[in-house]
Structure formats: structure tokens, C-alpha cells
Amino acid sequence: MLYVVGLGPGGQEQMTFEAQEAIKSCETIVGYVTYMRLVQELTEGKEIVCTGMKQEIDRCQKAIDIAMTGKNVAVISSGDAGVYGMAGLILELISSQEKELEVRVIPGVTASLGGAAILGAPLMNDFCHISLSDLMTPWPVIEKRLHAASEADFVICLYNPRSKGRPHHLRKALDIMSQYKDKQTVVGIAKDVGRSKEQVIVTTIEELDETLVNMTTIVIIGNKDTYVSNGRMITPRGYTV
Amino acid sequence: MLYVVGLGPGGQEQMTFEAQEAIKSCETIVGYVTYMRLVQELTEGKEIVCTGMKQEIDRCQKAIDIAMTGKNVAVISSGDAGVYGMAGLILELISSQEKELEVRVIPGVTASLGGAAILGAPLMNDFCHISLSDLMTPWPVIEKRLHAASEADFVICLYNPRSKGRPHHLRKALDIMSQYKDKQTVVGIAKDVGRSKEQVIVTTIEELDETLVNMTTIVIIGNKDTYVSNGRMITPRGYTV
């Protein structure tokens, strides 16, 4: 059995019971170094397979190969393994290699939900997720989605908003959004959700300081009704209050 | 202190540790009858305030009023309380009534993530959430979002896809999507996720039998690259496998 387990955004408190049970039930745990540290307590005595950044295919292939020998294996991912995570890659590899292997995806709290909770309640109306990484999606496709989502007034959650290799994507995305959304539209920034250095910033499209944003940040841009009250970002659901 | 707690989609296994801790730490638990049953074990001996369907404002107001007396109160919600849930309403009421009350939102696994996990990995590329309930969002706004999301080839998660009062919204939504998405586009239906009668159906826009869909169902429409392998719905992330 191969489990693909989402750990939630931060420490063990944001993990689900079934995620913990899945890890406990496995002989082998496969994951990126950073995430392995988050579950250290649960993995003592187990076979650990750590790989570095950008070695996703290698990592998933190893997990499949070990599971094919009959072992119970858990591949761990931050957030939800099914959101830009390892679940898809595992299933793609199994499909293309025509392997017969039982896989169970254990969902977790993805970064947007974790970030939204500490920002207030920005996701109370229709919202979308867009990754600003063009490593695997062509930039024109990302731009098209930014245009469409902004024009239809979705709340927008940006994954992979800014990195050293892509320092200008966030600014480009905000410029596109500004064509449809007011520059005073509320923007919430949640950094390192669930970790000790967790940080929240509530700002606007116009005033956002993009140098505060890195790869462990989630950026949530409100819709036209999103407002700030007592430091909290709130998107109304539509109730008359 | 007022906690707004997302329980995850199903039983206690999909609840996070901090959600359980929050409930345990409270004297009073407020929620919709059905959800109260899911956490019965955790709430023994506590003050329970149950309200019925469509009494959201009343329920949140009661929770606020009790918390204002100094008690620790948890408002519980299925899925994630911040996604079309109670978190926003709580914060809106506190804001409009200018109350001073500490609120903590505890995120949970929302229905789309829970559904995606049992369907396979449909949310591996950009995706959005649209509620088909027009009780609080005008139908033309919903239609506009359906057009925009389909044209930009988002994976689309439909919340509140169909109810007795809105039997035709799902068909209308699929008709709009068909203007941009191929009729053979993969559609995943996840019913009663995490509960004993959990059910998964993988079909297409064209072949979807809408009578299988009700209010405890999440419907996920793929993008142009989404495929089915061994009964699982997979949206490629873009890796070369």
C-alpha cells in the first residue's frame, strides 16, 4: 500500500488523525528533507528516504518501487498532497508504467485554507487557486487565468507567488488583476503558516510590498466586497448582518 | 474566546489535532444538528447549542453572545469553516456590532480536498471553487464565473451543486462549461465523503447523471488534460513522466 499524505500547513497540530495513522502504519516514509523534520516524532525507527528540492520524480519513483516490494510506504507532502503536490505525480507514474499498486491519498489542510484562517475569513465566496510558477505551466496560460479570475471577481489564492528565480511574477500578476480589480482591493499575506515564525500582513493591491513575499508565503487577493475589520480580512458571504 | 472550527468532510479521522483540542477546551459547543453528532464523543458534559438548517445567523449570534459572557465557545462546521462556512458570518457580526471578542478560526479539510483525494488527483493544476447556490449570490454572477473559469481551463469544484429547490443549476452550469470544455471532459463526483455511505463516480460532462448529485456531493470538472486511469481522475501537473 502506498499512502500519499498531506501534513497540513505547519506543525503536527494541523495534521489530521488519519494522516498520523497512515504514517504510523508504514515501514517506510519518503519525503522532502524539510517535511521529514515536521514528523520526526512519528517516524522513529522507520526507513526514511529523503530527497532534496526539485527531485519530485525521483522521490515518487522511489516510493513506488519500495511499495511494489510489498512494503507499506507513505509519501509525505506539506499542505494537501493533492494540491500542486505529490498525489498526481504518483498516480501519473503508476499509470504510465502500468503498475498495479494500491494508492490512498490522505487529504490535508492546504496552504490557502491555513492562510485564510489566520487572516480572517477571505474565502467565504467563490475563489480560485493559481500557481505563479511557470516551471510546468506556460506563463501565457497563467496570465489567461489571472485575467479570467479577476474579471469574474473571484477571490484569488496565489501559490508559489515569488521566488529568487521568479522575482517579478507577483508584480506582473498584480498588474493584470489591477485591470479589473480596484487597486484598493484587500490583499492578505500569510507567511510560514503554522510554524513558529508565522506572520500575517493585510494590505492592498497597490500597497503590497512584494519583497515580503517568498515561496513559503500564500497571497490571497479579495473580491470587490472584501473588507478589513479589526485587522481581519473578511469576504462577505451575502448574509444581511 | 470563540473558536470557529472546521471538522473536515467526514468523521473524526479527518479532523485535525488542533480542531479536537479547540473543542475539548470549550465549555459550550454551537452547531448544526448533523455536525453535532459527528463530534458527540468530544462534547459529553458540555453545554450544547443546536440549531437547524438555514439558521446560520441565529446560531452565530448565540455563539457570540455566550462567548461575550466570558465562556470558551466553539462553533463547529463541516469541512473548513472558512469556505462558504461560519467563519465569515461570525466575523461579520462581530464587526457590525463592534464587539470586542477574540476569535480563532481553526482550518479543516474542505469538501473539495476530501472529494479530490478519493477521486484520485484532480486538483494538481489551477482550480476554482464555485457555489451553485444563488440564495446569496445572484445567478448572473455565478454564470459569469462559470464562463470565466471554463474559458481559462480551470479545474472547477462545484459546491452546493444541486438541491430540491435548485434541481436545474447543475445542468445549467454544465451547459455553460460545454461552450468551452470538451463534452468528454472528465467529471468526478464524490458523495458523502468520509462517511459510511461514501461514493465516487467518474464520468464526463456529457454523460453525467445529475440525479445522482445532491447537497452532500462535491462535483469536480477537470481541465483539458485531465484523464482517467484505473478508475482514478488525474490532472497532470506538467511533469514529463
Side-chain angles (χ1 to χ4, degrees):
Chain A
M1 169 72 93
L2 178 54
Y3 292 95
V4 195
V5 181
L7 301 178
Q12 283 195 38
E13 319 80 60
Q14 292 184 314
M15 195 184 298
T16 66
F17 287 90
E18 64 170 1
Q20 186 181 76
E21 286 308 310
I23 291 171
K24 280 186 184 167
S25 75
C26 288
E27 292 107 291
T28 307
I29 314 294
V30 181
Y32 174 45
V33 184
T34 313
Y35 306 145
M36 210 54 97
R37 279 188 216 116
L38 296 172
V39 292
Q40 213 156 16
E41 279 174 44
L42 299 176
T43 60
E44 263 175 41
K46 296 181 189 293
E47 179 186 20
I48 303 292
V49 180
C50 267
T51 64
M53 236 170 75
K54 295 190 182 170
Q55 299 180 2
E56 290 87 1
I57 294 179
D58 179 48
R59 193 184 311 153
C60 290
Q61 188 66 59
K62 278 185 178 146
I64 291 168
D65 293 342
I66 299 169
M68 286 299 290
T69 69
K71 282 187 180 171
N72 288 318
V73 179
V75 179
I76 59 169
S77 241
S78 166
D80 182 294
V83 176
Y84 308 113
M86 294 297 104
L89 186 49
I90 291 277
L91 294 178
E92 285 192 76
L93 288 168
I94 289 171
S95 170
S96 73
Q97 295 165 9
E98 296 179 12
K99 292 223 160 73
E100 281 192 27
L101 181 61
E102 206 179 343
V103 177
R104 209 170 142 217
V105 181
I106 311 285
V109 173
T110 187
S112 57
L113 304 185
I118 55 172
L119 283 162
L123 307 182
M124 294 300 299
N125 211 308
D126 300 333
F127 63 104
C128 61
H129 290 73
I130 301 176
S131 166
L132 294 188
S133 166
D134 62 350
L135 286 178
M136 282 175 296
T137 300
W139 182 253
V141 174
I142 298 171
E143 281 205 347
K144 184 171 183 180
R145 289 177 180 156
L146 289 165
H147 280 281
S150 305
E151 188 173 11
D153 201 29
F154 278 96
V155 175
I156 301 175
C157 305
L158 297 178
Y159 276 61
N160 309 309
R162 190 168 177 271
S163 69
K164 281 181 189 156
R166 300 183 295 280
H168 305 304
H169 283 196
L170 177 58
R171 180 46 55 198
K172 279 190 197 172
L174 293 169
D175 286 346
I176 289 170
M177 292 185 214
S178 300
Q179 296 175 34
Y180 310 93
K181 289 176 181 279
D182 194 287
K183 288 184 178 173
Q184 297 302 312
T185 302
V186 182
V187 178
I189 298 174
K191 298 181 77 164
D192 300 300
V193 177
R195 304 191 186 162
S196 54
K197 50 185 177 173
E198 178 179 284
Q199 195 188 348
V200 165
I201 300 156
V202 177
T203 179
T204 61
I205 289 181
E206 190 169 49
E207 281 163 21
L208 186 150
D209 176 0
E210 54 188 294
T211 63
L212 296 172
V213 175
N214 62 21
M215 285 299 274
T216 60
T217 307
I218 185 95
V219 179
I220 301 180
I221 296 94
N223 70 16
K224 69 176 172 48
D225 300 317
T226 304
Y227 64 97
V228 181
S229 173
N230 209 6
R232 289 177 177 273
M233 180 176 181
I234 305 170
T235 301
R237 178 75 185 99
Y239 295 101
T240 308
V241 296
Chain B
M1 169 73 92
L2 178 53
Y3 292 96
V4 194
V5 181
L7 301 179
Q12 282 195 40
E13 318 81 57
Q14 292 184 314
M15 194 185 299
T16 66
F17 287 90
E18 66 171 358
Q20 185 179 75
E21 286 308 309
I23 292 170
K24 279 187 184 166
S25 75
C26 288
E27 293 106 291
T28 306
I29 314 294
V30 181
Y32 174 44
V33 184
T34 313
Y35 307 146
M36 210 55 96
R37 280 188 216 118
L38 296 172
V39 293
Q40 214 157 15
E41 279 174 44
L42 299 175
T43 59
E44 264 175 41
K46 296 180 187 293
E47 179 186 19
I48 303 290
V49 180
C50 267
T51 63
M53 238 170 73
K54 296 190 181 168
Q55 299 181 0
E56 291 87 0
I57 294 178
D58 178 49
R59 192 184 312 154
C60 290
Q61 188 65 58
K62 278 184 178 146
I64 291 168
D65 292 344
I66 298 169
M68 287 299 291
T69 69
K71 282 188 180 170
N72 288 319
V73 178
V75 178
I76 59 170
S77 242
S78 167
D80 183 293
V83 175
Y84 308 112
M86 293 298 105
L89 186 50
I90 291 277
L91 294 178
E92 284 191 77
L93 288 167
I94 289 171
S95 171
S96 74
Q97 295 164 9
E98 296 181 11
K99 292 225 159 73
E100 281 192 27
L101 180 61
E102 205 178 341
V103 177
R104 213 174 138 214
V105 181
I106 311 285
V109 173
T110 187
S112 57
L113 305 185
I118 54 171
L119 283 162
L123 306 181
M124 294 300 299
N125 211 308
D126 300 333
F127 63 103
C128 61
H129 291 73
I130 301 176
S131 166
L132 294 189
S133 166
D134 62 350
L135 284 178
M136 282 175 295
T137 300
W139 182 254
V141 174
I142 297 171
E143 282 205 346
K144 184 171 183 178
R145 289 178 181 156
L146 289 165
H147 279 282
S150 306
E151 188 173 12
D153 201 27
F154 279 96
V155 175
I156 301 174
C157 305
L158 297 178
Y159 276 60
N160 309 311
R162 190 166 176 273
S163 69
K164 281 182 190 157
R166 300 183 294 280
H168 306 302
H169 283 195
L170 177 58
R171 179 48 54 197
K172 280 190 197 172
L174 293 170
D175 286 346
I176 289 170
M177 291 184 214
S178 300
Q179 295 175 35
Y180 310 93
K181 290 178 180 278
D182 193 288
K183 287 184 179 174
Q184 296 303 314
T185 302
V186 182
V187 178
I189 299 174
K191 296 181 77 163
D192 301 300
V193 178
R195 304 192 187 162
S196 54
K197 50 183 178 175
E198 178 179 284
Q199 194 189 349
V200 165
I201 299 157
V202 177
T203 180
T204 61
I205 290 182
E206 191 169 46
E207 281 164 21
L208 186 149
D209 175 1
E210 54 189 297
T211 62
L212 296 172
V213 174
N214 61 21
M215 285 300 273
T216 61
T217 307
I218 184 95
V219 179
I220 303 181
I221 296 93
N223 70 16
K224 70 176 171 51
D225 299 318
T226 304
Y227 64 97
V228 180
S229 174
N230 209 6
R232 289 179 176 274
M233 180 175 179
I234 305 171
T235 301
R237 178 76 184 98
Y239 295 102
T240 308
V241 295

